[in-house]
Amino acid sequence: MNFFDYVLFAPCVAMASGTALIYDEEMTTHKLLWDDPVCDIEVPERLSSSYEHLKSYHLVERCVRVPAREGSEEEILLVHSSEHLEVAKSTQTMNEEELKRVSANYDAFFFHPNTYRCARLAVGATLQLVDTVMSGKVCNGMALVRPPGHHSQRNAANGFCLFNNVAIAAEYAKLKYNLQRILIVDWDVHHGQGTQYIFEEDPSVLYFSWHRYEHQEFWPSLKESDYDAVGLGKGKGFNINLPWNKVGMGNSDYLAVFFHVLLPMAFEFDPELVIVSSGYDSGIGDPEGQMNATPEIFAHLTHFLMQLANGKLCVILEGGYHLKSLSESVCMTVKTLLGDPVPQITGEMAPCLSAVESIQNVRAAHKPYWKWLMYEDTSFLQNLSTKSHLLKKADSNPCTEHESKITKDDETVKVEKYLELHMKNILFPVPPIKTAVTAESEGSAHVFSVPVHLVKQMDKTEIKALVSGFYPHLVKEDKTLVSLSSMLAVLDKVLKKEVCNGIAESPESAIAVAVALRHSVCFGFQRVLCVFVGDMQIIPNTEDGKILIIHICEKEQAGNTNSKNYISLSWKEDAEGNDFFSAVLGFILPVAYSYQPNLTVIAVGPNRSLGISGISLLFASLQGLAESRILAVMEDTEINLMQNVTKILVGGSTPHFGAYVPPTQEKVNKIKVLRDQFQQEWKMLQCSVKDGISMN
Ligand code: X5A
Ligand code: ZN
């Protein structure tokens, strides 16, 4: 080891992949045989092009291939009527004229002689994925299917959908695996009204959908797609609709909805399985959606959902009609399922006013049903612009608050060109080894069952030379130098992008962090986020704007030392379980995403006020930022904590975050105060419109 800067701790064998992929070419045989301007976007190439893209990114070979099968009649009848099944079955032998006639009975559907077969394969593929995940063969996976499912209802085909693949999968999983709680996330740009109808009285299935709505102007133009449709009977509170009342919504709007609506619900709900109705018509360039979200947003959405249900996540294709946008987004999803680092979001991070209005309204509508909302002061924004059809004309201009607006029907090619360049910019080579640790942190070495970089500590002369430039007084003591050596060695690998993240043990974390921050900035990193847990003596820095510190400690700091770039959050984790979810989703992530760091330093110091669950949650959540580049500085050598942090950073398994505990009133207020204080500077914190008048 003297001869090498680092050695590979273990041979780089490909670990058994934890991601299933299901694709069957036969599902491309379902196609439109006549002229129909409504349906002609649902083409077989949607599937083949997505698959070809996966191959070109070498993602297919990294997945566990699972064959599709036909869904049985019995399985289809879990959701659909026998009449519906019989009609579908009868189309197999019809001629074109007859097919056209049956199709005309539905809103936006076409039959082909092989449609029935394809729809059964789509159902079966979805159930295969559920089985593969539930049996523990893989952690997660994606099924590329056609026809899609979420508009399909008990007794009707609708919106390109014949059988409701995802709804059948949820019923199947409840039955076969005795599941009590399933979360369906429908990020397709259309409302999955079919899925809503099927589960609206069912509290065991939490259905979330966001959708282009434009005050009921957009298809399927239903009253029940609005935010006030919260479910019926026992299912009240388990249906969440987030209507988009303008087109042009983008990355920050989607993230704001995740932070301020979906994820807090999801963590409180605590699902045993998450199924995504994964339509990519909510992505940029789509002729249906007219939205602006770029492919990498789906990496982030996927990454968040991987934190639920112990990572058990089934992603099922629904819509998506811009072939390039669809394919790139599918790739981002699968890449993330495989555990690759998450690419950085580009562009200004601030939700638009119309999005914030919708967020505010859905929070108000759900307040009676969710503990996390109990102490939030929510109020409806029911005046002027919302609910009034008279005013919608004036309100129908697209959301123009975002920087890049590249959607218009005839701009498909432009988006294609844009995406070509964009993907080259955001995709980066992934280091073959993800995590660096120092050889000297021997005690924890045995917890690594996957390859890690073992780095040699930096020697004293090197450290002195490095540190004396900015903190000369620190390097006088030998003890201090020792505390820096492991950190600097690991940080070096992270900065040079030889690894994605690294873990350093340091007996003096505050000093190690101060040096790490300065060194990173000097190295050229423009925005470094530091989250410090525990008592820390703040070592002032002058790198204005290049460092943002969030300090989580037990006691309120004396005096208001808060500034835009130094925020102290006093938070003592609940003894009963984990109540830190609300701080992470309601404050830390919104600030972090607003800042868009290119390196994250997470330090665990002495007298920490968070338990292992809270710290694990912090690490897992912040992994979505800075291209997943994280330096962990651990002063606490508690083995359980080290193991959890290591597990999260090397990837592969989702740890337990402890039992969900709703935040107390005091804590909700604490977040509210901070939100009010910082939402002008860190705009992703916004989740309500101040006085409700300033609308355009
Ligand atoms: C699955 C899906 C859209 C139907 C649009 C009909 N369907 N105008 O995206
Ligand atoms: Zn759709």
Side-chain angles (χ1 to χ4, degrees):
M1 212 181 289
N2 290 330
F3 297 99
F4 299 104
D5 196 15
Y6 58 85
V7 293
L8 299 189
F9 180 65
C12 185
V13 287
M15 286 192 301
S17 175
T19 299
L21 179 66
I22 309 187
Y23 171 76
D24 189 321
E25 210 184 309
E26 187 167 0
M27 284 182 273
T28 62
T29 59
H30 161 67
K31 55 160 126 354
L32 180 63
L33 295 172
W34 52 85
D35 264 358
D36 178 347
V38 172
C39 291
D40 63 9
I41 52 174
E42 211 284 89
V43 295
E45 290 73 26
R46 298 180 49 242
L47 228 53
S48 46
S49 154
S50 300
Y51 189 67
E52 287 307 313
H53 251 80
L54 285 170
K55 279 202 279 192
S56 75
Y57 281 117
H58 300 287
L59 294 169
V60 171
E61 62 213 57
R62 296 172 57 197
C63 292
V64 175
R65 292 305 306 270
V66 175
R69 64 167 171 91
E70 278 199 351
S72 69
E73 295 195 5
E74 198 189 344
E75 286 158 351
I76 291 163
L77 292 172
L78 285 171
V79 159
H80 296 284
S81 67
S82 48
E83 293 90 314
H84 183 57
L85 177 62
E86 291 309 317
V87 172
K89 207 189 292 180
S90 74
T91 61
Q92 292 176 99
T93 52
M94 286 181 178
N95 63 32
E96 190 174 319
E97 197 186 322
E98 291 168 312
L99 290 168
K100 208 168 168 177
R101 193 174 38 76
V102 185
S103 302
N105 293 333
Y106 305 104
D107 181 1
F109 193 76
F110 59 91
F111 277 105
H112 172 281
N114 214 36
T115 296
Y116 177 67
R117 160 82 178 158
C118 291
R120 284 191 59 164
L121 282 174
V123 169
T126 307
L127 301 185
Q128 285 281 80
L129 181 54
V130 168
D131 280 332
T132 315
V133 167
M134 289 310 299
S135 65
K137 284 200 193 83
V138 294
C139 190
N140 56 36
M142 177 158 195
L144 295 175
V145 301
R146 272 181 80 243
H150 72 151
H151 297 302
S152 158
Q153 298 148 42
R154 182 175 151 75
N155 204 22
N158 180 281
F160 315 158
C161 305
L162 182 57
F163 300 137
N164 197 318
N165 309 314
V166 165
I168 295 168
E171 291 293 5
Y172 175 85
K174 276 167 60 178
L175 215 65
K176 182 159 177 185
Y177 300 100
N178 192 29
L179 299 189
Q180 318 288 309
R181 292 178 313 282
I182 296 172
L183 168 65
I184 297 177
V185 176
D186 187 337
W187 68 44
D188 187 283
V189 86
H190 300 95
H191 182 213
Q193 86 279 36
T195 310
Q196 171 169 315
Y197 299 150
I198 290 158
F199 297 113
E200 68 195 336
E201 293 188 62
D202 186 345
S204 67
V205 176
L206 174 58
Y207 176 65
F208 168 88
S209 173
W210 63 33
H211 35 268
R212 180 171 170 191
Y213 191 58
E214 295 175 288
H215 305 292
Q216 213 179 316
E217 283 291 276
F218 189 70
W219 188 90
S221 299
L222 303 166
K223 194 162 58 52
E224 63 267 31
S225 305
D226 213 346
Y227 59 81
D228 52 358
V230 297
L232 301 172
K234 281 191 189 139
K236 268 194 171 193
F238 296 96
N239 191 85
I240 309 163
N241 285 334
L242 189 292
W244 299 121
N245 286 318
K246 291 190 177 193
V247 296
M249 295 296 168
N251 295 341
S252 43
D253 305 297
Y254 290 11
L255 286 171
V257 169
F258 263 53
F259 297 152
H260 301 302
V261 179
L262 173 62
L263 291 174
M265 305 269 191
F267 278 114
E268 179 170 338
F269 183 66
D270 188 23
E272 298 156 295
L273 172 67
V274 180
I275 310 179
V276 182
S277 263
S278 188
Y280 297 95
D281 38 16
S282 47
I284 189 166
D286 193 278
E288 279 286 309
Q290 307 276 321
M291 299 300 177
N292 274 325
T294 47
E296 66 277 19
I297 195 65
F298 295 103
H300 290 259
L301 305 185
T302 302
H303 181 256
F304 285 124
L305 297 183
M306 286 165 71
Q307 313 307 324
L308 296 155
N310 247 306
K312 289 197 287 299
L313 181 56
C314 296
V315 181
I316 315 298
L317 183 67
E318 299 275 4
Y321 308 101
H322 184 290
L323 293 182
K324 175 92 172 152
S325 179
L326 162 70
S327 307
E328 295 291 356
S329 300
V330 165
C331 290
M332 293 313 305
T333 306
V334 171
K335 221 170 131 49
T336 307
L337 290 174
L338 283 162
D340 277 3
V342 180
Q344 233 166 324
I345 299 277
T346 48
E348 210 222 332
M349 295 305 285
C352 74
L353 185 59
S354 175
V356 175
E357 283 181 28
S358 294
I359 289 169
Q360 179 172 356
N361 280 332
V362 72
R363 283 163 62 105
H366 276 277
K367 189 181 165 103
Y369 313 106
W370 295 91
K371 290 183 188 145
W372 71 275
L373 280 168
M374 182 146 70
Y375 303 115
E376 295 278 350
D377 64 22
T378 57
S379 61
F380 286 102
L381 228 164
Q382 281 256 7
N383 55 32
L384 304 173
S385 84
T386 37
K387 287 271 166 189
S388 162
H389 283 227
L390 291 173
L391 276 144
K392 80 191 171 254
K393 278 255 157 61
D395 191 46
S396 64
N397 55 313
C399 183
T400 53
E401 291 165 49
H402 306 295
E403 265 179 26
S404 66
K405 303 167 283 296
I406 322 170
T407 20
K408 242 189 200 133
D409 232 23
D410 55 353
E411 292 195 345
T412 303
V413 180
K414 214 169 150 188
V415 174
E416 231 160 84
K417 295 241 169 71
Y418 166 81
L419 281 175
E420 185 88 20
L421 187 72
H422 179 73
M423 297 315 291
K424 277 190 189 127
N425 283 337
I426 63 159
L427 290 173
F428 48 90
V430 175
I433 307 279
K434 216 170 168 189
T435 305
V437 297
T438 42
E440 284 75 5
S441 51
E442 279 175 286
S444 46
H446 68 276
V447 308
F448 307 115
S449 53
V450 292
V452 293
H453 258 314
L454 279 191
V455 297
K456 205 173 162 252
Q457 294 190 353
M458 217 176 246
D459 72 53
K460 278 184 206 159
T461 2
E462 247 181 298
I463 300 168
K464 253 187 206 152
L466 212 146
V467 178
S468 55
F470 30 83
Y471 290 122
H473 60 285
L474 289 182
V475 294
K476 296 209 176 88
E477 278 190 60
D478 232 38
K479 191 171 123 247
T480 308
L481 288 181
V482 170
S483 84
L484 293 175
S485 59
S486 121
M487 182 281 291
L488 282 169
V490 170
L491 177 62
D492 188 59
K493 298 288 164 214
V494 175
L495 295 179
K496 289 179 180 155
K497 304 191 182 176
E498 287 171 26
V499 295
C500 188
N501 55 43
I503 308 170
E505 300 190 57
S506 169
E508 291 181 72
S509 55
I511 293 171
V513 163
V515 172
L517 296 178
R518 284 295 283 271
H519 183 48
S520 306
V521 170
C522 289
F523 192 88
F525 280 73
Q526 289 302 302
R527 290 180 308 279
V528 184
L529 169 68
C530 172
V531 180
F532 197 106
V533 183
D535 284 348
M536 171 182 69
Q537 224 213 320
I538 307 143
I539 298 171
N541 67 74
T542 51
E543 317 285 349
D544 202 35
K546 294 188 177 172
I547 296 171
L548 166 59
I549 297 176
I550 301 176
H551 181 191
I552 301 153
C553 52
E554 184 163 354
K555 282 176 258 83
E556 210 77 56
Q557 297 297 104
N560 191 358
T561 49
N562 278 357
S563 69
K564 186 184 174 192
N565 288 69
Y566 174 83
I567 303 170
S568 149
L569 167 63
S570 76
W571 194 280
K572 173 93 181 128
E573 192 171 296
D574 196 288
E576 302 296 307
N578 192 352
D579 65 357
F580 196 52
F581 295 100
S582 54
V584 169
L585 299 171
F587 189 74
I588 297 170
L589 282 177
V591 170
Y593 271 84
S594 302
Y595 185 59
Q596 293 189 271
N598 29 44
L599 171 67
T600 305
V601 176
I602 307 176
V604 178
N607 303 320
R608 53 189 167 84
S609 59
L610 296 179
I612 291 178
S613 311
I615 293 172
S616 302
L617 177 67
L618 197 59
F619 272 90
S621 312
L622 291 173
Q623 232 181 353
L625 292 139
E627 294 175 349
S628 302
R629 212 171 288 122
I630 294 183
L631 171 69
V633 178
M634 313 292 290
E635 182 163 336
D636 197 317
T637 52
E638 192 185 327
I639 190 74
N640 286 342
L641 179 61
M642 277 301 278
Q643 275 175 344
N644 260 25
V645 168
T646 310
K647 260 192 215 160
I648 293 164
L649 292 184
V650 300
S653 76
T654 308
H656 255 281
F657 300 127
Y660 174 89
V661 173
T664 60
Q665 183 161 16
E666 188 201 340
K667 279 176 169 156
V668 171
N669 284 339
K670 200 171 281 183
I671 297 295
K672 185 189 152 34
V673 168
L674 285 173
R675 191 191 294 142
D676 288 344
Q677 192 180 349
F678 290 107
Q679 64 182 350
Q680 285 317 314
E681 324 198 64
W682 307 123
K683 295 203 162 64
M684 291 303 296
L685 287 166
Q686 295 172 6
C687 59
S688 66
V689 175
K690 276 287 95 152
D691 38 49
I693 301 300
S694 63
M695 282 169 287
N696 51 8

